[in-house]
């Protein structure tokens, strides 16, 4: 089949994303039901990947592989997040939004931008006529995705198991991968989407390289906006006066998994510039915890 609306499916995927997110926005606004929020975001990725693959109709091996990787990631995340929120019963992110239609609209608009932007690499690959032989970038990208997927899935399950245990109520998670990173799930997600980009590199040409904005946008979003800053602030407010937590934070990398003995011995300037230990993540920590 030929391309639809535009040669790279950019307009098509934007329209589909806006429409899909708008439906769930209406459900949330009218029914005050926000348990489907993360499900809507994750499944939107699957829809865009499969839709562009089918509409183009080329079915090149690289296109099929990248589409499957996105679909597997989206399906795993959608099922996990939906089951988690149904188990927990509420999403605290929406405590201040439920009564404000404007704030709710901003959130859903931002989610649509997130989905469309991060999907850019697979969207452009699926729309492309080029089909070079498999290259090193393909294999490296797929390996990055596999490692990131395993890390994210394992970290999510470990934290869910930890928080589901009554004996851990009121404690922070420092088991499994969480011993080596304060946010291993975000490390996995960033790694796997950079893997999707690397795997798309053999196809990209000219202005198509701008799809690198997808993984860059995701990385900046998690590092500076809705990921680490919010969770670090929440944890610091809860446990900032607990000595064991302050020790954990000093000895545990914020993102990239490292042995605590190694990370704890590194100078602060190295942690700041190379390991993302940003001052932003310590604004709510008592000063004695910053030694």
């Amino acid at each position: 089949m030929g391309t639809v609306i535009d040669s790279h499916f950019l307009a098509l995927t934007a329209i589909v994303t806006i429409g899909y997110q708008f439906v769930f926005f209406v459900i949330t606004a009218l029914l005050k039901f926000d348990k489907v929020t993360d499900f809507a975001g994750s499944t939107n990725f699957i829809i865009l990947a499969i839709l562009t693959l089918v509409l183009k109709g080329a079915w090149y091996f690289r296109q099929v592989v990248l589409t499957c990787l996105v679909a597997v990631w989206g399906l795993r995340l959608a099922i996990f997040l939906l089951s988690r929120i149904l188990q927990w019963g509420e999403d605290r992110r929406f405590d201040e939004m439920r009564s404000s239609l404007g704030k709710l609209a901003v959130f859903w608009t931002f989610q649509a931008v997130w989905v469309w932007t991060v999907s850019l690499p697979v969207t452009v690959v699926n729309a492309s006529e080029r089909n070079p032989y498999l290259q090193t970038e393909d294999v490296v990208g797929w390996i990055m995705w596999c490692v990131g997927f395993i890390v994210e899935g394992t970290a999510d399950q470990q934290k869910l198991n930890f928080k589901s245990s009554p004996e851990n109520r009121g404690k922070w998670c420092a088991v499994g991968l969480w011993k080596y990173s304060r946010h291993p799930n975000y490390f996995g997600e960033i790694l796997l989407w950079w893997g999707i980009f690397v795997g798309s590199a053999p196809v990209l040409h000219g202005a198509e390289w701008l799809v690198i904005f997808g993984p860059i946008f995701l990385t900046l979003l998690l590092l500076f906006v809705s990921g680490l800053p919010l969770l670090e602030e929440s944890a610091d407010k809860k446990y900032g006066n607990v000595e064991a937590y302050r020790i954990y934070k000093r000895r545990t990398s914020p993102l990239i998994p490292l042995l605590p003995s190694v990370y704890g011995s590194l100078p602060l300037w190295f942690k700041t510039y190379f390991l993302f230990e940003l001052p932003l993540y310590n604004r709510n920590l008592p000063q004695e915890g910053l030694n």
Side-chain angles (χ1 to χ4, degrees), residues 109-145:
T109 300
F110 194 79
Q111 177 152 287
V113 173
W114 165 62
V115 172
W116 183 84
T117 305
V118 178
S119 294
L120 282 174
V122 72
T123 297
V124 170
V125 168
N126 283 349
S128 179
E129 299 284 353
R130 290 182 293 278
N131 184 35
Y133 290 112
L134 293 184
Q135 300 177 17
T136 303
E137 293 93 326
D138 293 294
V139 178
V140 171
W142 301 344
I143 292 175
M144 290 172 64
W145 183 91

Side-chain angles (χ1 to χ4, degrees), residues 15-27:
I15 292 171
V16 171
T17 300
I18 292 171
Y20 190 68
Q21 296 303 314
F22 180 74
V23 169
F24 283 97
F25 162 70
V26 172
I27 293 174

